[in-house]
Amino acid sequence: MDLARLVELGKIDKNTPHPPALIGQDGVLELTQLAIKKEIKAQIILNEGLMPGMHAIGEKLSRGEVFITDMLIAARAMNVALGQLKPFFLSGEIQAKGTIVLGTVKGDLHDIGKNLVKMIMEGDGWEVKDLGTDVSEEQFVEAVNNSTDAIVGISALLTTTMLHMGSAVQRLRENNPNTKIYIGGAPVSQSFCEEIGADGYFSNPHGLARELRKAPKLLI
Amino acid sequence: MTKYFGSLAIKHPDDLIFGYAPKPVSCGQGLTIGVGQVFPEINFTLPPMLINESNWNEVLSHYHNICENVLARAEKLRVPGIVMEFEHLPPMSMKPELGAEITSLIKNYLLEFYRRTGIPNALRVTVVDLRDADHPPLLRSGQRWEQTREAFILSAVAGADILSIESVGGKEVHDQALMYSDLSGIVASLGILACRDMGWLWDEIVDICKEYDVVPGGDTACGFSNTAMQMAGQGLLPATLSALVRAASAPRSLVAYEHGAIGPSKDCAYEGPIIKAITGVPISMEGKSSCCAHFSPLGNIAGAMADLWSNESVQNIKLLSGTAPEAFLELLAYDCRLFNIAENKNESRMYRDLLVRSDLEQSPEALMLEPQTVLRIARSIAQCPNPYTQTRNAIFTAFKSLQDAVDSNQLKLPSREQTWWSKIPGLLAQIPENENEAIEYLITTYHGVFNPQAYGL
Ligand code: B12
């Protein structure tokens, strides 16, 4: 079985009991180690071995064929493989896809939606800096200043907090007009997104993942 | 003082019906809930706008406008009674004097309405559980709790007739357990953490209610089972899991009544029928007429046992007919006319069964509200006093009920649920048998996610 499929199934290593059909067989850990030993380029292991597995499960989730739990199980296996590739990230041999700064707006504590965005974007190969809930404009700006290429994702669930998205967008634009900003959450919409000058509204994280996969400068 | 409900207040499915509760509640301006009629409970909220000092008058004018429109329509439709729920938005609990100002504004309208029309009414105020802001929450101490407590007191002083909350104790663990479909974590976070926090919190709330002569309404497992239901609705979790979580959340919401709450329960607590069966208190429910706030697979069945019928929340915006709150009051009023005429014409059981059957085949969550199943789960809870065992029993009984329905073809599971469905027995078998083992499980598996002291552990 190839690496991507093992990621998709969440088979971590030989000893893990999940999935039952693969008990005793090599998992993502062994295959990644083998690939490194065979001197396959780390970027290729990541792009052609591991990521397709995450994309496959992400697509299945967006089509409603699997559940978030399956995605998290796959992500757990993926993380074990990434642990093996860590030296190559540190040496700069592999470049991560990019960073997403994520948070729920000021005054709002709803976080399940945002947490799901985090999980799904991480599964898609992004590094996510989760600022949590009740995030002020200044905190968003500061986070972007710490990773200047970062994309920003903002969530709001209350009609009385969604307008803070507007001021966050404004502050982020003043800080760096090129920052890409995406929004989501039950009360917001595409027209609201246009009104406040954000770059896109998505009713679910898959939409954002797909949009960002289209972006030309990205590696994967 | 804790009261243990060792047996059911409603023992026969025929008696589990809308409008009737063995322990009716009298509150507000001449309103008695649970003696035969279902009343609308109208909810409302602000449209997109910030809440700050500079636009406070605009905020107030929204609430004036809501009260005027809703009550004029209530009068026109001659509702037999009405509850208005004022659900705080966060700044209104953070600065409790703001919440209090709106409370007294609404109360004045209700008093005047009663004087003028004689229509019985009551005001429910739901305070925000601000303790959710700390990660992990401190719960029993700190500024967030002090603010939450103050919000209850000022609401009571300002004229609330019923107090409620959507409390969050245990949610920090439950959120994670839910994502991983970890049934052991779900049962332990609900049966141990959430139940412990509920006991502590509701002692405090009931004390405040006693001091200010307000009705302690009840709590809701919104942050638990409604989160699960919304996620299932978005295809992120299996609906069968959401159904199991609903049943498992009933002992948690029951704790409020063990500690002195008397109902009416909170509208978004879809576990209400189980609570009603055990305690006999009147319940508020929401279904198809709360589609302005969120979708659900329980549109009709949710009404089958309701004593108040709610729209959960709607923004104060203009529609073609009028404003959204008055339009939704109209919907609720007509829904209630149907409940009440059915009762009046001795057709209530037939009507209830239609409400039940119309949703039953479609959704595992709906099965959890079917009267026989409600009693089955309620019995498994009432059997023993320990909240953890109650929660464990509830989830096992819920699964058995789902299994029976699937085996007899009453419930058709979508094909995407099959793999998960076949895994459930294995996951159930792993749920720790007793509370001590479950605490151990929580501490090892969810180390750092929650603060044991906050739960008296
Ligand atoms: C469960 C729930 C809660 C839970 C918290 C859940 C949580 N941790 O997030 C609890 C009980 C704690 C809660 C509390 C409150 N809530 Co609430 N809550 C809900 C409910 C019923 C479901 C939300 C949910 O969990 N959905 C499931 C998740 C998976 O969906 P989601 O959050 O929408 O996220 C998805 C998408 O929107 C998208 N997305 C979200 N963010 C982003 C960001 C980006 C960048 C992208 C791409 C996508 C994206 O992707 C996600 C996955 O698909 C909603 C109803 C609704 N219509 O949403 C009310 C609702 C939002 N709450 C409401 C209210 C009023 C409150 C309270 C004020 C109630 C009170 N008085 O206590 C408090 C406020 C808390 C606070 N301080 O902020 C109101 C809002 C009214 C308004 N004026 O806007 C609603 C609409 C319910 C109602 N009464 O009508 N709530």
Side-chain angles (χ1 to χ4, degrees), chain A residues 64 66-69 112 159-160, chain B residues 46 48-49 179 181 236-237 416:
Chain A
V66 296
F67 298 108
I68 190 74
T69 308
I112 291 280
T159 53
T160 50
Chain B
L46 294 171
M49 67 186 291
M179 300 280 183
S181 307
L236 295 164
L237 285 178
R416 62 186 299 242

Side-chain angles (χ1 to χ4, degrees), chain A residues 102 107-114 116-117 153-160 182-187 202-205 208, chain B residues 45-46 87-90 126-130 132 166 168 171 175 222-223 226-227 230-231 234 236 293-294 312-313:
Chain A
L102 193 63
D108 204 327
L109 299 179
H110 291 87
D111 61 354
I112 291 280
K114 170 201 55 93
L116 285 162
V117 175
I154 317 180
S155 179
L157 264 284
L158 295 167
T159 53
T160 50
Y182 297 97
I183 62 167
F202 295 98
S203 63
N204 59 57
L208 178 60
Chain B
T45 192
L46 294 171
E87 190 165 271
H88 277 197
L89 289 157
T126 299
V127 160
V128 179
D129 192 348
L130 297 170
D132 202 15
E166 311 193 344
V168 295
K171 186 170 88 66
D175 277 354
C222 181
N226 292 0
T227 298
Q230 291 310 309
M231 286 180 62
Q234 292 180 25
L236 295 164
H294 63 82
E312 158 107 63
S313 195

Side-chain angles (χ1 to χ4, degrees), chain B residues 169-221:
Chain B
K171 186 170 88 66
E172 67 280 32
V173 172
H174 188 269
D175 277 354
Q176 292 203 12
L178 193 60
M179 300 280 183
Y180 281 97
S181 307
D182 169 16
L183 294 187
S184 302
I186 288 171
V187 170
S189 57
L190 282 165
I192 297 171
L193 304 182
C195 285
R196 278 172 176 251
D197 183 55
M198 285 283 291
W200 179 84
L201 177 67
W202 275 91
D203 278 344
E204 296 277 338
I205 299 171
V206 168
D207 279 350
I208 295 170
C209 288
K210 276 191 190 136
E211 191 171 339
Y212 297 95
D213 195 20
V214 178
V215 167
D219 209 303
T220 159

Side-chain angles (χ1 to χ4, degrees), chain B residues 182-362:
Chain B
D182 169 16
L183 294 187
S184 302
I186 288 171
V187 170
S189 57
L190 282 165
I192 297 171
L193 304 182
C195 285
R196 278 172 176 251
D197 183 55
M198 285 283 291
W200 179 84
L201 177 67
W202 275 91
D203 278 344
E204 296 277 338
I205 299 171
V206 168
D207 279 350
I208 295 170
C209 288
K210 276 191 190 136
E211 191 171 339
Y212 297 95
D213 195 20
V214 178
V215 167
D219 209 303
T220 159
C222 181
F224 304 84
S225 32
N226 292 0
T227 298
M229 189 167 79
Q230 291 310 309
M231 286 180 62
Q234 292 180 25
L236 295 164
L237 285 178
T240 38
L241 174 61
S242 148
L244 295 178
V245 174
R246 175 67 57 199
S249 70
R252 172 245 171 241
S253 295
L254 175 67
V255 174
Y257 307 92
E258 293 173 339
H259 287 254
I262 60 169
S265 68
K266 178 88 177 94
D267 53 1
C268 63
Y270 291 89
E271 61 279 13
I274 302 173
I275 303 293
K276 180 166 169 173
I278 298 173
T279 64
V281 306
I283 59 172
S284 183
M285 294 291 286
E286 59 186 47
K288 54 180 176 268
S289 307
S290 70
C291 59
C292 45
H294 63 82
F295 297 128
S296 88
L298 308 169
N300 289 328
I301 198 169
M305 284 147 272
D307 303 296
L308 293 175
W309 184 236
S310 153
N311 66 317
E312 158 107 63
S313 195
V314 68
Q315 300 176 52
N316 189 33
I317 50 171
K318 184 78 179 59
L319 303 177
L320 290 176
S321 51
T323 64
E326 69 181 316
F328 276 80
L329 188 267
E330 174 151 323
L331 263 183
L332 297 176
Y334 281 107
D335 288 341
C336 289
R337 278 193 193 172
L338 208 47
F339 286 123
N340 296 335
I341 195 73
E343 149 64 18
N344 193 265
K345 299 288 174 207
N346 263 333
E347 302 282 13
S348 51
R349 232 145 263 143
M350 190 263 282
Y351 184 49
R352 182 201 66 176
D353 290 344
L354 290 177
L355 290 170
V356 168
R357 263 184 261 151
S358 62
D359 288 342
L360 210 51
E361 263 184 40
Q362 308 272 338

